[in-house]
């Protein structure tokens, strides 16, 4: 799959295909929640790889799953390869994270094909 569930849904919406729009989102959520390694655990590392686009070269962001002050799992940005002029764009998934389901946003928006998840030093999902 070369498109994220959100992109698939937007394509269906453009075709005025409401069942396809909803199906893309529900199938994406089901794929995440049925993965053998789901749910996220504290200490998991998530790398998101974005292809080059316009003025931006290919980008990588690395997040760690951590517990926040309310003891909920969330993403914390650890590193990125954004050029300095675009560095403020880094860490969007940490700012928009769904509490206790930190992989949901990246999975749905970036797509599983752009994600690598490492747990205990082992790749558990290689996109």
């Amino acid at each position: 799959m070369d498109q994220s569930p959100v992109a698939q849904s937007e394509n269906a919406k453009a075709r005025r295909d409401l069942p396809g729009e909803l199906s893309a989102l529900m199938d994406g959520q089901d794929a995440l929640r049925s993965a053998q390694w789901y749910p996220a655990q504290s200490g998991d590392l998530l790398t998101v790889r974005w292809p080059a686009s316009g003025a931006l070269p290919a980008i990588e962001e690395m997040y760690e799953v951590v517990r926040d002050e309310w003891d909920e799992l969330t993403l914390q940005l650890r590193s990125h390869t954004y050029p300095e002029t675009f560095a403020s764009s880094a860490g969007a998934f940490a700012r928009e994270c769904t509490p206790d389901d930190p992989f949901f946003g990246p999975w749905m928006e970036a797509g599983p094909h752009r994600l690598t998840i490492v747990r205990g030093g082992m790749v558990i999902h290689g996109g």
Side-chain angles (χ1 to χ4, degrees):
M1 172 187 358
D2 288 344
Q3 288 188 318
S4 71
V6 168
Q8 291 174 38
S9 177
E10 290 172 356
N11 288 340
K13 183 176 184 176
R15 295 189 310 269
R16 298 184 184 270
D17 175 9
L18 181 59
E21 184 179 352
L22 296 173
S23 178
L25 296 173
M26 293 173 67
D27 290 350
Q29 177 178 298
D30 290 346
L32 170 62
R33 294 190 174 157
S34 66
Q36 288 183 328
W37 45 262
Y38 182 86
Q41 295 179 12
S42 186
D44 286 352
L45 298 176
L46 168 71
T47 301
V48 183
R49 289 179 180 80
W50 299 102
S53 175
L56 282 174
I59 301 293
E60 283 190 11
E61 296 176 283
M62 181 184 282
Y63 298 88
E64 181 178 357
V65 176
V66 298
R67 292 211 173 268
D68 65 13
E69 59 269 21
W70 299 281
D71 201 35
E72 293 179 333
L73 293 176
T74 188
L75 293 175
Q76 186 171 65
L77 182 66
R78 291 295 183 206
S79 64
H80 66 84
T81 61
Y82 277 90
E84 182 130 355
T85 54
F86 294 96
S88 64
S89 298
F93 291 123
R95 294 187 294 269
E96 301 170 6
C97 186
T98 304
D100 269 350
D101 201 353
F103 294 149
F104 184 79
W107 187 274
M108 297 297 285
E109 294 179 33
H113 62 289
R114 290 195 177 129
L115 308 181
T116 300
I117 302 170
V118 175
R119 178 175 293 154
M122 305 269 306
V123 173
I124 59 171
H125 174 80

